[in-house]
Amino acid sequence: MPSFTAEQVSQHNSATDLWVIVHGKVYDLTAFANEHPGGKKVLVKVAGKDASKQFDQFHNAAILAKYGPALYKGDVGSGESKQEVVEEPLEGLEEGDAFGDGIPFGDPYWYSDWHSPYYDESHRKVRAVIRRFVDKEMTPFCHEWDEAKEMPRSIFEKAAKAGILQCIVGHVDPKYIEVPYPGNIEASKFTAFHEFVVCDELSRCGSGGAMWGLVGGLGIGLPPVIQFGSDYLKDKVVKDCLAGRKNICLAITEPSAGSDVANLKTEAKKTPCGKFYILNGEKKWITNGIFSDYFTVACRTGGPGMSGVSLLLVEKTMPGVKTRHMPCSGVWASGTTYITFEDVKVPVENIIGQENKGFKCIMYNFNHERMGICIQATRFARVCYEDSMKYAHKRETFGKKLIEHPVIRNKLAHMARKIEATHAWMEALIFQSIQMPKEQQMLKLGGPIALLKAQSTQTMEFCCREAAQIFGGLSYSRGGQGERVERLYREVRAYAIPGGSEEIMLDLGIRQAVKVAQFMGAKL
């Protein structure tokens, strides 16, 4: 790779020959200058110079990661050509090694060499692999995907090759997995804490749209097939979805039934021959629906209430299936969809679990789904905090940096205490999900996880608002330094409502706690 001295770079100092140095790397901006959003003259002023300070003042690191490779000329050095740069080894793999940027509360405590009973070398490996993937393949493109309201097929394939997609659907039979888990962790040793690390690190991209687009539908649509589907259905669906070749989503919510799942209206009637179900109904706000190949559909096959609900695997190619994109406030890249089923002929072999026993299948996955929302919302709160802390150290007002104003430190302190309390609660409940027998988890963990969901989404909302106040006008503009804060503020409702609205979660949490306590003999 070429190397240039600062003196050599300084010779490229005109509008027709415009080089700059940013963080030790040399970029040729000659052809780019006319497209620069801030105008050409701004770049001409720093032509031939080190523009690192100016770049950091007006841009975030994702811009350089996205556009830098096409403009890159070489490194600042002796002026002699160097060998091709080999990819740097993964960091933070050894016990005691710090990981990340070292921003106070910008990452969980165990990233900063704090002791923890939950993590070991295998978690550190997974963490390093996912962070590298996110920094390279996701964060630089989230704004572009959001504006386009779609994600490229290539990101699913890349995530699959990195072993990411199989990490967020619970335990999977190894015969359906084509690549190793991240960090080459053995499938039998991959636990809920590894999944926690994967989801948490993916969420560092700071985009609910990218997160839901990549793993949203998969994480809630595929587990019912894996847990309750026949071998026929699993062979048909699981491998292709985990390989990124196909997409699946969960279709439960309807125009007239959200959290009230037991009263859904979509209906499937069995034909006289007994070989098919005829499906009719509508589904609304379905994540990934617009680009999914398969739909895990909750429908009524029996009488009223939860005892008449079944799950069917519906294929997009079946006649009578129609999808249309729904414009929403946030999560634009996730493909929020309105689906109609009009006399769709579904083979009886496509039933997931037993007829009229689908409500149990839905409930079985709710804890997992809600925990995923908690993990994402809490990391998004941390992203807002991290970006605010960094911005407060470079933005100056009234002759001093923002971080020197007590009111700003007060905002950051309240953000940090909420984030750390929520994160600790998540770890405690995830530990219980590993230790507690499966049959007890639906009874004992449902309430606490419901409360955790409300806690995490309210923490996200608080941190988004405070970050917006710290960033000021930058948080009101799409793109730029406040890109992630602006986007996440729009996405708060997408986390506070789906998976069970905060009001429903808070009520459920207390009702469940009282019920379990009475069963255990509490003196109430």
Side-chain angles (χ1 to χ4, degrees), residues 371-386:
M371 183 58 76
I373 292 174
C374 294
I375 296 168
Q376 293 176 49
T378 305
R379 175 54 86 163
F380 288 157
R382 202 184 288 275
V383 164
C384 288
Y385 166 87
E386 179 185 3

Side-chain angles (χ1 to χ4, degrees), residues 213-274:
L214 182 63
V215 298
L218 179 73
I220 58 179
L222 194 61
V225 178
I226 293 173
Q227 297 295 333
F228 302 102
S230 63
D231 289 341
Y232 163 75
L233 286 183
K234 286 187 277 192
D235 292 344
K236 181 183 184 70
V237 171
V238 177
K239 180 174 284 190
D240 279 346
C241 287
L242 296 183
R245 293 186 289 267
K246 299 284 187 179
N247 293 98
I248 190 171
C249 65
L250 182 67
I252 293 180
T253 304
E254 299 179 354
S256 59
S259 298
D260 190 9
V261 178
N263 286 316
L264 54 84
K265 306 298 183 187
T266 296
E267 187 177 47
K269 293 185 176 180
K270 195 172 287 186
T271 58
C273 67

Side-chain angles (χ1 to χ4, degrees), residues 23 47 84 102 149 175 204 215 229 271 276 325 418 445 456 499-500:
H23 299 309
E84 188 70 29
K149 295 180 175 59
K175 74 177 183 178
R204 282 188 62 256
V215 298
T271 58
F276 299 94
H325 184 266
K418 288 175 178 286
L445 292 185
S456 63

Side-chain angles (χ1 to χ4, degrees), residues 431-461:
F431 179 75
Q432 292 302 317
S433 75
I434 294 175
Q435 301 297 320
M436 193 178 291
K438 290 291 184 182
E439 58 272 15
Q440 290 185 22
Q441 291 186 28
M442 289 183 66
L443 177 66
K444 286 189 172 183
L445 292 185
I449 290 175
L451 293 178
L452 176 64
K453 181 182 182 294
Q455 167 72 12
S456 63
T457 55
Q458 290 186 0
T459 297
M460 176 185 175
E461 183 167 15

Side-chain angles (χ1 to χ4, degrees), residues 284-337:
K284 195 173 185 181
W285 299 295
I286 304 305
T287 300
N288 298 176
I290 201 71
F291 57 79
S292 283
D293 303 282
Y294 304 109
F295 308 88
T296 299
V297 180
C299 56
R300 188 161 302 286
T301 52
M306 64 181 69
S307 60
V309 175
S310 296
L311 283 180
L312 291 178
L313 181 78
V314 179
E315 301 171 48
K316 197 170 198 172
T317 54
M318 292 177 175
V321 178
K322 296 180 181 178
T323 61
R324 62 177 173 85
H325 184 266
M326 292 180 62
C328 297
S329 296
V331 294
W332 294 347
S334 68
T336 307
T337 307

Side-chain angles (χ1 to χ4, degrees), residues 102-109 382 385-386 389 412 416-417 419-420:
I103 306 297
F105 310 109
D107 278 312
Y109 276 122
R382 202 184 288 275
Y385 166 87
E386 179 185 3
M389 177 65 85
L412 292 168
R417 68 177 179 81
I419 292 166
E420 293 303 336

